[in-house]
Amino acid sequence: MAQAQAAATSVTLTVNGESKTLDVAPWETLLDVLRERLHLTGAKKGCDQGQCGACTVLVDGRRVNSCLQLAVMRDGCEITTIEGLGEPASLHAMQAAFVKHDAFQCGYCTPGQICSAVGMIREGHAETAEEIRELMSGNLCRCGAYTNIVEAIEEVLAERNAPKLEAAE
Amino acid sequence: MSNVHPYVGRAQPRVDGPLKVSGLARYSAEFAAEDMVYAAAVPATIAKGRIVRIDASAAEAAPGVIEILTHQNRPDMPEEDKPYKADMVAVPGGPFRPLRDERVVFSGQPVALVIADTHENARDAATLVKVEYESETPTVDVGDARDGAYEPPEKRNGIPPPPPPRGDAAATFKGSSIRLEEEYRVAAEHHNPMELQATTVEWDDGRLVVHNKTQGVNNPKNYLCSVFGLDPASVEVVSPFVGGAFGMSLRPLYDLTLAVMASLKLERSVRLVLTRAQMYTMGWRPDTLQTVALSAGEDGRLTSIRHEVVQATSQYEDYQEPTVNWSGLVYDCPNVTLGHKLAKLDTPTPSDMRAPGATLGLFALETAMDELASKLKLDPLELRLRNYAENDQNDGKPFSSKELKAAYEQGAERFGWSKRSAEPRSMKDGRELVGYGMATGCWEAMMQPHGASAALTADGRLEVACGTADIGTGTYTILSQIAADAFSMPIEEVTALVGDTRLPMAPVEGGSWAAASAGNAVRLACAALKEELVKRARGLDDSPLANASADHVVFRNGRITLVSDEDVSVSYADLLGAAEGGRIEAMAKFAPDKDFKEKFSSFVHSAVFAEVRVDEELGVVWVERIVSAVAAGNILNRATARSQILGGVVMGIGMALHEETVWDRRLGRIVNANLGEYHVPAHADVKNIDVIFVEEKDEANPLGVKGLGEIGIVGAAAAIGNAVFHATGRRIRHLPITIDKLL
């Protein structure tokens, strides 16, 4: 082996509520740190260049392509990955809706779709199916589960909006 | 005895769903191993020629680099082709072998493998390997190679060559006044599953556990044993989840060979994940030039069909898919000539991609049929009905079942086909031209021998297992449903296992045969387990079932109970308590019924209806809605079955409007080897898709299943293209239908 690793930087990330301090090289992406260092492989690598959305996670509540983020840029941030949204025994509403609507097949784009959908709803711009399709278009699904994904998201949106409507009445 | 409310036939949610939505399903690049190192492949920058010199000194000096393998220093490998053909889906020719020698046979070919302590260091050092080449002019366009087209001397195993001609198509065509002859072409496509091709090799003192992205674990295992001379007892392939494949991961790919080569050399665990660009350096849907000539009488009855293709293959293998055979099959026609030739390109060998052959061939035929309908001033659906084939036109056999007429009827009804105006460019909505189109789809209903096991385990669960794969198709779920029904058990108490070479033997999952084959194998294994349980129940001391046979008992609520007296029963727990290891297991093998296959032809059929909207000024095409009516025998799971069709239709939208791999013809390199410039359909491209499963009884296997993985895409592109013609009056015979072709 040649010379040792070049200068590493200490970063602290709060990942799924847990504080993690690690030494990372400046070129390590958030995605690779999650997958290879923290073994949180729920965030997927589909292209490594921000074109497919499989690596979508929530950074301080906003959806981002973690393959386009260097870990050092996110020092001090709160990261939520799919593992932090819910577990099989206690699924997040969006995860449960994906199962119910068969909104995936191979499952590889799924964590990114779900994180993206959760982030999109928080953004508050999606109401109609057309808007969901537009705002989810950064998340590719080669299995073609799109119509089911939109139905799953619509259901979660409707549940979220239901109390609001009642309150308005 | 079946469940009162069987799971088979329901829209049962995927049993692996909770794992997948919570990110806990592990794919090939996600298995951790002690002391693992990372590999990165260095791609060739020429498409044809030879390596003159490799200077790896800068890479060797880079941080973390452990080893750099090239053709000059790799471990010894067998010289002859034969060991590399230990691949159940091999094609005629000599398979590609990474780091074989100095020759470069396609752009992006791996010419070196860098192994380093981290993924980043391997990736960085890979860019530092300097390779000098002697380059020759490549040919990468099938149009440039068509003059040298030839009939493949060796036919591909399992792929029927075109049937011999019947009647005299040429003379009939010549003497006909209603006729057309056109050329069709579908752009080259790449599978582009979302998961990158990857292999993680866990090395444990010479014993290997290989996690390889594959559509069938036994194929890579056999290949590794053959190529590296490994003892089958010292290597297992374990790939429980596959992030989409669509045919791409049927054959052993170079990530497998390289990762295992590195692991054996270094005696360490190794991970190799290909880049998205490298996903374009392996199989692809071949660029294919097609000629279809049709003639018909005034009554709309076809009098002749000629369908000939020139299909791309590589310099080193004769890849073949059944492209033209469908044109002899789907319509009643006395004079048919079919031809299939290959043309060699300086590209990787093409490979099966969702409904290989049928997707291309039926695009051409079904577009030509639409053109014929237009010439005859006949409704396109009516033309299909007038030429409906009641038996297999290629070999005269009756169909085991064919409810295509019902699919036409129900699809047309749901779609509102009767509202279609006859004239092209006659339906408008604001500034949008509206078009309706339809097409027929067809795929062979195949089966393969499969083994399966069924076991009662110490915790009282039922475990069924088969060495097939679940590539997103829903295999885990349908096997669980079948097993739950066999034992009248809640599906939550069933575990299904696939994707592991330690499980009963199965071939690759492809050709839409897994549901029928693995499903029936599990059904038989459950029956065998019941026999075993009854045998053991009879043998218990003072057994209440001492004289019972399998016909006299029912299996439910964890007990074997006498049909004639519900109070007489034996619990599974008692049997497990008496069993060695607390486990009772039975095995079974399923094989297709040869006599049945001699007598009948079995195919899946579909009728696809599409509505498109075309912006009159901008030429932008939107698929507003698709109705796909499918006749595929018994439907095991209405949710996952529907998803299979949805997925096929979406890929058909891609084929019709978006997907195109573009080569630079001078350099022989793909210029859009990424998901930004190779456009696969996105959310915004997909609006309404309606799936109908028509009732169809089939007896080719006890479950009555035909398979659904391919049929959804077949005919979809033709239906969309035909709708674009109806909307605009423009016939586009070269897919994808992009704006430049419409304006």
Side-chain angles (χ1 to χ4, degrees), chain A residues 1-6 25 27-29 31-33 35-37 39-54 67 70 81-92 94-111 113-114 129-130 132-151 153, chain B residues 12-14 16-27 29-32 36 38 60-66 117-121 123 189-196 241-244 246 268 271 273 275-277 353-354 470-473 639-644 646-648 650-651 654 659 673-689:
Chain A
M1 198 187 296
Q3 73 199 71
Q5 187 78 34
W27 47 79
E28 283 185 67
T29 65
L31 176 62
D32 286 328
V33 167
R35 283 173 67 83
E36 302 295 339
R37 304 280 296 277
H39 303 293
L40 291 168
T41 54
K44 303 300 183 195
K45 184 180 282 191
C47 70
D48 220 10
Q49 49 194 4
Q51 294 175 332
C52 78
C67 75
L70 296 170
T81 70
I82 191 73
E83 291 94 339
L85 278 184
E87 294 173 359
S90 57
L91 295 177
H92 181 280
M94 189 64 76
Q95 292 169 317
F98 267 59
V99 175
K100 180 180 164 192
H101 290 272
D102 207 38
F104 55 91
Q105 293 178 38
C106 79
Y108 200 79
C109 75
T110 312
Q113 299 276 358
I114 291 171
E130 181 111 23
I132 294 171
R133 287 196 287 266
E134 192 63 34
L135 294 169
M136 286 295 294
S137 278
N139 290 85
L140 299 177
C141 168
R142 187 54 157 166
C143 296
Y146 293 126
T147 52
N148 290 352
I149 294 171
V150 171
E151 280 174 21
I153 297 172
Chain B
Q12 177 67 34
R14 281 172 206 264
D16 51 338
L19 278 183
K20 283 180 172 173
V21 298
S22 55
L24 299 179
R26 282 200 191 275
Y27 300 80
E30 299 172 352
F31 288 84
M36 185 176 72
Y38 293 79
E60 277 162 1
V65 171
I66 293 160
D117 59 344
T118 66
H119 153 66
E120 290 82 3
N121 282 339
R123 181 182 62 189
E189 294 184 330
H190 278 80
H191 307 70
N192 275 309
M194 298 315 299
E195 185 197 8
L196 297 169
F241 292 100
V242 181
F246 315 109
R268 283 181 83 163
R271 174 172 297 158
V273 183
T275 64
R276 180 53 62 178
M353 177 169 167
R354 204 166 203 165
D470 187 335
I471 59 174
T473 40
T640 56
R642 181 170 171 274
S643 287
Q644 284 290 292
L646 293 175
V650 170
M651 212 176 266
E659 293 185 44
N674 63 76
L675 290 170
E677 293 162 292
Y678 179 106
H679 186 89
V680 306
H683 271 282
D685 298 311
V686 180
K687 295 187 178 175
N688 306 294
I689 305 172

Side-chain angles (χ1 to χ4, degrees), chain B residues 45-307:
Chain B
T45 54
I46 63 164
K48 185 182 189 181
R50 50 187 284 274
I51 299 164
V52 179
R53 204 167 75 89
I54 297 180
D55 176 4
S57 56
E60 277 162 1
V65 171
I66 293 160
E67 177 76 61
I68 296 174
L69 294 173
T70 69
H71 68 278
Q72 293 161 331
N73 68 347
R74 63 158 167 80
D76 280 343
M77 301 278 284
E79 283 299 317
E80 67 277 23
D81 281 328
K82 193 161 176 280
Y84 302 89
K85 299 187 86 160
D87 166 8
M88 49 186 98
V89 269
V91 304
F96 173 72
R97 316 175 205 173
L99 309 186
R100 176 185 190 173
D101 54 26
E102 76 286 358
R103 281 173 293 174
V104 174
V105 292
F106 56 82
S107 178
Q109 173 185 325
V111 293
L113 187 75
V114 176
I115 300 115
D117 59 344
T118 66
H119 153 66
E120 290 82 3
N121 282 339
R123 181 182 62 189
D124 182 39
T127 66
L128 301 175
V129 178
K130 293 191 185 69
V131 185
E132 284 174 36
Y133 302 95
E134 232 171 53
S135 181
E136 295 169 49
T137 307
T139 306
V140 290
D141 187 294
V142 72
D144 295 341
R146 79 184 307 171
D147 287 347
Y150 60 97
E151 279 187 24
E154 187 189 341
K155 303 303 178 195
R156 181 180 172 198
N157 188 29
I159 302 296
R166 60 176 184 258
D168 188 341
T172 311
F173 183 81
K174 214 173 163 191
S176 178
S177 61
I178 303 167
R179 62 185 196 183
L180 64 91
E181 177 174 354
E182 296 292 350
E183 275 217 2
Y184 303 88
R185 188 169 183 178
V186 179
E189 294 184 330
H190 278 80
H191 307 70
N192 275 309
M194 298 315 299
E195 185 197 8
L196 297 169
Q197 186 63 38
T199 300
T200 302
V201 186
E202 289 183 52
W203 190 89
D204 179 12
D205 198 18
R207 203 179 166 280
L208 303 184
V209 177
V210 179
H211 307 286
N212 166 239
K213 186 180 185 192
T214 176
Q215 290 177 244
V217 285
N218 290 298
N219 211 30
K221 175 166 174 169
N222 292 343
Y223 179 85
L224 291 175
C225 290
S226 176
V227 166
F228 292 103
L230 300 176
D231 174 2
S234 72
V235 52
E236 302 295 353
V237 179
V238 180
S239 307
F241 292 100
V242 181
F246 315 109
M248 181 182 177
S249 303
L250 287 166
R251 300 187 66 185
L253 299 171
Y254 68 71
D255 61 302
L256 174 76
T257 323
L258 290 175
V260 172
M261 183 191 289
S263 175
L264 293 172
K265 171 93 198 286
L266 299 173
E267 302 193 335
R268 283 181 83 163
S269 297
V270 174
R271 174 172 297 158
L272 172 58
V273 183
L274 300 189
T275 64
R276 180 53 62 178
Q278 286 169 340
M279 299 285 279
Y280 292 76
T281 60
M282 29 194 65
W284 52 293
R285 193 192 294 282
D287 195 351
T288 304
L289 304 170
Q290 308 193 50
T291 305
V292 177
L294 302 178
S295 65
E298 297 284 351
D299 59 357
R301 297 289 301 271
L302 286 163
T303 54
S304 75
I305 299 172
R306 180 165 61 86
H307 189 172

